Amino acid sequence: MYQAKELTVSTRGRGLVDITGEVQKAVKGTGIREGLCTLFLHHTSASLLISENADPVVQRDLEAFFSRLVKDGDPLFQHDAEGPDDMPAHVRTVLTQVSLSIPVKDGAADLGTWQGVYVWEHRTSPHRRRVTVSVLGG
């Protein structure tokens, strides 16, 4: 059996948005007990990740690292049609990922104890991001 659901995630600008609850709800709603959940983000300036969900300092540290690695307004980049964060957002996305695979066990996404699923917004302004949650199994 295969089912898919689309999530819309509102961001507040650069940073991580926890979507673990919405993903779990979508997986449970399929009625599939065992299988595979695939998440796909339909954008080129945000990404998906599984990360530590207990200590918010982890999120700040990730952002600090990427801010050092890929600087807004870096003169290296020519693509700046939407501002100084335009190309850096694209680079951040290609360094991370826009899809995730998570096993489904007992009707839920089988995440580890301290794992959460996040949309990582790489633009500095708020956006609405589209995520497809696909579940395959029985």
Side-chain angles (χ1 to χ4, degrees):
M1 179 190 308
Y2 169 82
Q3 290 193 39
K5 177 178 175 149
E6 189 171 289
L7 305 176
T8 301
V9 179
S10 295
T11 70
R12 293 182 300 259
R14 187 168 283 161
L16 287 95
V17 178
D18 187 344
I19 63 168
T20 310
E22 292 90 339
V23 169
Q24 291 291 22
K25 182 178 175 185
V27 170
K28 183 178 181 181
T30 67
I32 294 172
R33 304 286 304 152
E34 307 292 327
L36 185 65
C37 172
T38 302
L39 307 176
F40 182 78
L41 180 75
H42 298 260
H43 302 279
T44 62
S45 56
S47 54
L48 291 169
L49 72 149
I50 294 175
S51 185
E52 150 93 44
N53 67 358
D55 186 353
V57 172
V58 171
Q59 295 177 20
R60 288 194 295 274
D61 287 348
L62 285 169
E63 187 54 52
F65 175 77
F66 265 75
S67 291
R68 181 185 294 171
L69 186 64
V70 187
K71 296 181 185 332
D72 289 342
D74 189 322
L76 171 70
F77 303 131
Q78 295 180 24
H79 177 74
D80 61 359
E82 296 177 14
D85 67 331
D86 194 357
M87 190 61 205
H90 297 305
V91 172
R92 287 168 168 244
T93 300
V94 300
L95 291 175
T96 52
Q97 55 202 346
V98 295
S99 66
L100 297 172
S101 295
I102 305 168
V104 174
K105 181 179 178 185
D106 297 327
D110 190 22
L111 294 164
T113 302
W114 307 113
Q115 290 182 320
V117 180
Y118 297 88
V119 169
W120 192 356
E121 177 62 63
H122 300 307
R123 298 304 306 267
T124 57
S125 59
H127 284 80
R128 291 173 55 84
R129 302 301 190 176
R130 187 167 58 110
V131 178
T132 297
V133 180
S134 302
V135 183
L136 181 64

